[in-house]
Amino acid sequence: MRDCIHYGTCTICCCESTPPLFRKLSKTEFNELHSERKEVVFKAGEVIFKQGTALTHFACFREGMAKVYYERPEGSNMLVNIVGAGRICSGIGLYTDNIHHLTVQALTDVNLCLIATKDIEAVIEKSKVMAIEMITLTNQNSIQFTHKLANLTYKSMAGRVAEVLLYLQNEIYESERFTLNLSRQDLADLAAMTKESFIRTLKELKDAGIIKVNRNQVEIVKLNSLTKISNS
Amino acid sequence: MRDCIHYGTCTICCCESTPPLFRKLSKTEFNELHSERKEVVFKAGEVIFKQGTALTHFACFREGMAKVYYERPEGSNMLVNIVGAGRICSGIGLYTDNIHHLTVQALTDVNLCLIATKDIEAVIEKSKVMAIEMITLTNQNSIQFTHKLANLTYKSMAGRVAEVLLYLQNEIYESERFTLNLSRQDLADLAAMTKESFIRTLKELKDAGIIKVNRNQVEIVKLNSLTKISNS
DNA sequence: TCAATATATTGATATATGTCAATTTATGAA
DNA sequence: TTCATAAATTGACATATATCAATATATTGA
């Protein structure tokens, strides 16, 4: 349980480790969102937001993890990122076409708060702080996409696999040892390659002693080497 | 010369065919940006914004065209899009790190107005209309990036080349016949492949009678076929 | 105009990555 | 537990795409 700037230490508000989007709001502004929130639980595997459907709510993750991906016409998925506690999810349809452009699916049981976009819009109308935070969030998204685009279109498989591992270490599990709750297919979707290719490349890294892999247990042994490879 | 909602028909204001970002501003709000604008001319080939440098201004294009690209560490470029008259350029560093994440280079002689980000921020602070327009713009960016990412990572070369041609037809030249002012290398950078591969694929489309190509003259003959290919 | 340079094109070849099939290993329900 | 199903792994092979080199064509500046 982490500090909440609006309600002290709390377990049931959507702001447990308040998402950045709401961090600078006044108590009044924040409460307008907080009081209207819907707390929902999803089981692992359930779809939280579905690409192509109406964007009516943002999700604030309190517990658990979900994968965010683009569903291609022919069925394969492009995994964009993983979201966990304290993260806000969805939004790129806001003030545009009000449609979800990505699907979000629970990887573990997930506990989140839904906040209606109409409430968020109402606060944006009133509060320049909120408006600016929203601009910040969307621009951060764009920056992330720019780098993702550049990386996926020019790096070799080894580079992309290494990058995925570093992403998991730094952004998701925050440790050089972690237990995956993503399938090999998910990891391959994250690196934009087939699962067979991902597995083979992973094995090469293992055989080179750069990582240890045993089923879903991963340990990054030679961080320097992996970082070097991630730039290739 | 097109209508300008703020000054009637005008040739020297930055709002000739006012960029969407400013279209809904009141005259007062708009004037705050307009009066502080700097009109600048760039020659073909000159760099307008350089990736990695400080983001201090937005550019509103009045005349000419420029390419927007990401410069990779090893020297190759990923071309993101082309901008022309009436388009706003740059922004994804705003309210984040205030850095240009992409380079913008003039393809033809370019005539544009520079508007300081501090002025834009000042208007955002005062006007919810402007704030919302900015959110809209950045979200449109994100949507565009999402689709670009999905397309570049799974389509075959033929699909990507077809898509580039359709992009040029629909978004840039607005005609099924056009004279390229992009090099083959630029086109290849847009399709995320080598120029040799681009040229070969272009030739295949030509040999199949789907397009006509003669140097920089391009004509799309069988739109249906090209559209079908663009999905492969 | 001509040489010098950049850009475009083509061909031969190498290589990275995907595809398909077979096998192993895990997982979950009865 | 045991079967049935799904996921992971491995190997052989096909193919898309990049690389490198040679040539052709255009462009530019003196």
Side-chain angles (χ1 to χ4, degrees):
Chain A
M1 183 165 43
R2 287 179 259 186
D3 275 1
C4 164
I5 58 164
H6 297 101
Y7 294 91
T9 53
C10 65
T11 50
I12 59 157
C13 82
C14 56
C15 69
E16 182 184 349
S17 75
T18 314
L21 187 59
F22 305 137
R23 206 162 282 163
K24 292 179 183 164
L25 296 185
S26 71
K27 185 150 183 171
T28 318
E29 287 159 357
F30 180 81
N31 204 44
E32 195 165 325
L33 299 174
H34 182 74
S35 62
E36 296 297 321
R37 79 190 186 284
K38 300 273 186 301
E39 294 181 38
V40 187
V41 171
F42 289 89
K43 292 218 183 311
E46 289 181 344
V47 168
I48 298 166
F49 295 133
K50 174 73 178 177
Q51 177 178 323
T53 65
L55 167 63
T56 57
H57 292 78
F58 274 42
C60 300
F61 279 72
R62 298 182 55 233
E63 259 185 74
M65 276 172 47
K67 58 181 178 181
V68 182
Y69 57 96
Y70 180 87
E71 299 186 53
R72 297 201 175 104
E74 25 69 69
S76 71
N77 298 327
M78 179 188 70
L79 224 156
V80 175
N81 57 13
I82 314 289
V83 288
R87 298 294 305 279
I88 290 264
C89 190
S90 180
I92 66 172
L94 194 74
Y95 288 119
T96 55
D97 54 10
N98 286 303
I99 295 234
H100 285 292
H101 289 264
L102 300 167
T103 292
V104 182
Q105 186 181 22
L107 287 168
T108 63
D109 289 357
V110 163
N111 191 324
L112 52 75
C113 291
L114 291 175
I115 302 187
T117 50
K118 69 171 173 46
D119 294 333
I120 290 180
E121 285 171 4
V123 175
I124 288 174
E125 297 271 328
K126 281 180 215 159
S127 159
K128 72 183 68 162
V129 172
M130 178 75 181
I132 289 169
E133 288 292 298
M134 184 60 79
I135 296 171
T136 306
L137 179 68
T138 54
N139 274 333
Q140 281 166 349
N141 268 342
S142 289
I143 291 172
Q144 193 199 331
F145 269 122
T146 304
H147 292 128
K148 204 170 179 58
L149 195 51
N151 287 333
L152 290 183
T153 54
Y154 96 103
K155 285 186 180 173
S156 69
M157 288 203 303
R160 271 139 54 208
V161 169
E163 191 173 74
V164 165
L165 292 171
L166 292 172
Y167 167 73
L168 294 171
Q169 170 183 353
N170 297 321
E171 315 273 329
I172 308 304
Y173 300 107
E174 299 178 347
S175 162
E176 69 282 355
R177 307 186 77 225
F178 47 84
T179 304
L180 289 164
N181 43 18
L182 294 155
S183 69
R184 294 294 193 265
Q185 183 65 62
D186 288 335
L187 296 173
D189 290 345
L190 206 46
M193 63 181 70
T194 60
K195 66 175 183 310
E196 292 93 335
S197 290
F198 190 95
I199 289 166
R200 264 185 268 271
T201 311
L202 203 65
K203 191 163 183 259
E204 280 169 28
L205 292 173
K206 181 184 176 181
D207 291 347
I210 293 165
I211 58 171
K212 286 183 187 169
V213 187
N214 188 350
R215 289 207 31 67
N216 287 329
Q217 303 284 335
V218 177
E219 181 181 348
I220 294 175
V221 182
K222 297 183 185 169
L223 182 59
N224 281 346
S225 307
L226 197 63
T227 306
K228 229 169 267 164
I229 290 170
S230 80
N231 291 318
S232 64
Chain B
M1 183 166 42
R2 287 177 262 186
D3 275 1
C4 164
I5 57 165
H6 297 101
Y7 293 90
T9 52
C10 64
T11 50
I12 59 157
C13 83
C14 57
C15 70
E16 182 184 349
S17 74
T18 315
L21 186 59
F22 305 137
R23 205 164 281 163
K24 293 180 182 162
L25 295 186
S26 71
K27 185 150 182 170
T28 318
E29 287 159 357
F30 180 79
N31 204 44
E32 196 165 325
L33 299 174
H34 181 73
S35 63
E36 295 296 322
R37 79 192 186 282
K38 299 273 186 299
E39 294 179 40
V40 187
V41 172
F42 288 90
K43 293 220 182 309
E46 289 181 345
V47 168
I48 298 167
F49 295 133
K50 174 73 178 178
Q51 177 178 325
T53 64
L55 168 62
T56 58
H57 293 78
F58 274 44
C60 302
F61 278 72
R62 298 182 56 231
E63 260 184 74
M65 277 170 48
K67 59 181 178 181
V68 182
Y69 57 96
Y70 180 87
E71 299 185 53
R72 296 198 177 105
E74 25 68 71
S76 70
N77 298 325
M78 180 190 68
L79 222 156
V80 174
N81 58 11
I82 315 288
V83 289
R87 298 294 306 280
I88 290 264
C89 189
S90 179
I92 65 172
L94 195 73
Y95 287 119
T96 53
D97 53 10
N98 286 302
I99 296 237
H100 285 291
H101 289 264
L102 300 166
T103 291
V104 182
Q105 185 181 22
L107 287 167
T108 63
D109 289 356
V110 163
N111 191 326
L112 54 74
C113 291
L114 291 175
I115 302 187
T117 51
K118 69 171 174 44
D119 294 333
I120 290 180
E121 285 172 4
V123 176
I124 288 173
E125 297 272 327
K126 281 180 213 159
S127 160
K128 70 183 70 159
V129 172
M130 179 75 182
I132 289 169
E133 287 291 299
M134 184 60 79
I135 295 170
T136 306
L137 178 69
T138 53
N139 274 333
Q140 281 167 349
N141 268 342
S142 290
I143 291 172
Q144 192 201 331
F145 269 122
T146 304
H147 293 126
K148 201 167 181 63
L149 195 50
N151 288 332
L152 290 182
T153 53
Y154 96 102
K155 284 185 181 173
S156 70
M157 287 204 301
R160 270 141 53 210
V161 168
E163 192 173 73
V164 164
L165 292 172
L166 292 171
Y167 167 73
L168 294 172
Q169 170 183 350
N170 297 322
E171 315 274 329
I172 308 303
Y173 300 107
E174 299 179 345
S175 162
E176 70 281 356
R177 309 185 77 224
F178 47 84
T179 304
L180 290 164
N181 44 18
L182 294 155
S183 69
R184 294 292 193 266
Q185 182 66 63
D186 288 336
L187 297 172
D189 289 344
L190 206 47
M193 62 181 70
T194 61
K195 67 175 182 310
E196 292 93 335
S197 289
F198 190 95
I199 289 166
R200 265 185 268 271
T201 311
L202 204 65
K203 191 163 184 260
E204 281 169 27
L205 292 173
K206 181 185 176 181
D207 292 348
I210 293 165
I211 57 170
K212 286 183 187 167
V213 186
N214 189 349
R215 291 205 29 66
N216 287 330
Q217 303 285 336
V218 177
E219 181 181 348
I220 294 175
V221 182
K222 297 183 183 168
L223 182 59
N224 282 347
S225 306
L226 196 63
T227 306
K228 229 169 268 162
I229 291 169
S230 80
N231 290 319
S232 66

